[in-house]
Amino acid sequence: MPNTASLIDLHKYYDLGAVVVKALRGVSLEIPAGDFIAIMGSSGSGKSTLLNLLGALDRPTQGQYILNGKDTSQMSDNELSIIRNTEIGFIFQSFNLITQYTVLENIEVPLLYRPGYPPITARDRNRCIDVATQVGLGDRLDHRPFQLSGGQQQRVAIARALINDPAVIMADEPTGNLDSKTEEEIMQLLIGLNREGRTIIVVTHEPGVARQTRRQVYMKDGLIAGEGVFPG
């Protein structure tokens, strides 16, 4: 099976003037296509830095990051932007919805930034409706975020992440602001997306969330301290 992501001796340093923070100190990791992986670790372990690199939101100081066969380490900012828009879907703990937009308009946002900036067509809008229905929001299209529960807002975020049909979903603490029942509902959505063949990468501090993935990677002091594999 081809690898979605290959990390080869990745380092990430932050020069703060008086001190250099070594957030990653030589991380190597293979993430096969269709994997479902949880990245865990305490605050300062490097897990958020690793997710930023995996999501092409930042560049490594040293090392290589191969995503879907492309070496992102040497790409221009514009090339990285295209990668983020077309090949990766992002889900965040705080949802990051636009408050004045409806559910449908929030889902449409990534379409506005496609290469060449083509206008949204009727076909695009129908796809947005289909994706909203897929995550259980077909009857909430005209609602705004303040009219939705936390779980419904996260469903909007998941639909938005799916709209450009990415191969990879990056989820940063996707259940961190949710109650246990809603957490389970969101995890079932992610599990379903993984069964469709998408690669899911989750950063979480919650063991109950991590146990529902196929693999757990533990970060400590900027390094991979261990890994567990679960049948999936």
Side-chain angles (χ1 to χ4, degrees), residues 28-40:
S28 295
L29 182 67
E30 300 290 339
I31 302 177
D35 205 355
F36 191 178
I37 183 169
I39 300 171
M40 304 186 72

Side-chain angles (χ1 to χ4, degrees), residues 101-109 111-112 114 118-133 141-142 163:
Y101 281 12
T102 65
V103 165
L104 184 60
E105 290 167 339
N106 268 284
I107 295 170
E108 288 174 348
V109 165
L111 298 176
L112 301 173
R114 290 174 293 183
I120 293 175
T121 65
R123 181 177 180 181
D124 291 331
R125 187 152 285 123
N126 286 335
R127 171 161 167 72
C128 290
I129 293 170
D130 289 344
V131 173
T133 301
L141 298 177
D142 294 327
I163 196 59

Side-chain angles (χ1 to χ4, degrees), residues 126-184:
N126 286 335
R127 171 161 167 72
C128 290
I129 293 170
D130 289 344
V131 173
T133 301
Q134 179 184 349
V135 300
L137 293 173
D139 60 346
R140 297 287 191 273
L141 298 177
D142 294 327
H143 287 59
R144 287 175 169 76
F146 67 88
Q147 297 173 302
L148 304 173
S149 69
Q152 289 171 329
Q153 290 184 61
Q154 194 60 294
R155 288 170 183 267
V156 179
I158 291 172
R160 181 184 58 193
L162 290 174
I163 196 59
N164 279 334
D165 197 24
V168 186
I169 299 290
M170 307 275 184
D172 189 4
E173 300 285 2
T175 63
N177 287 333
L178 306 176
D179 60 59
S180 57
K181 179 177 182 296
T182 309
E183 171 188 299
E184 180 59 27

Side-chain angles (χ1 to χ4, degrees), residues 52-97:
N52 284 340
L53 293 176
L54 285 167
L57 295 166
D58 202 354
R59 300 172 181 274
T61 305
Q62 178 183 325
Q64 281 185 294
Y65 171 34
I66 312 297
L67 176 66
N68 293 331
K70 306 179 187 77
D71 186 351
T72 67
S73 312
Q74 305 300 320
M75 286 185 174
S76 68
D77 289 344
N78 186 58
E79 289 170 327
L80 289 176
S81 178
I82 292 171
I83 289 283
R84 289 192 299 269
N85 181 255
T86 60
E87 300 191 30
I88 304 171
F90 294 93
I91 304 168
F92 302 97
Q93 178 178 355
S94 56
F95 317 136
N96 289 0
L97 303 179

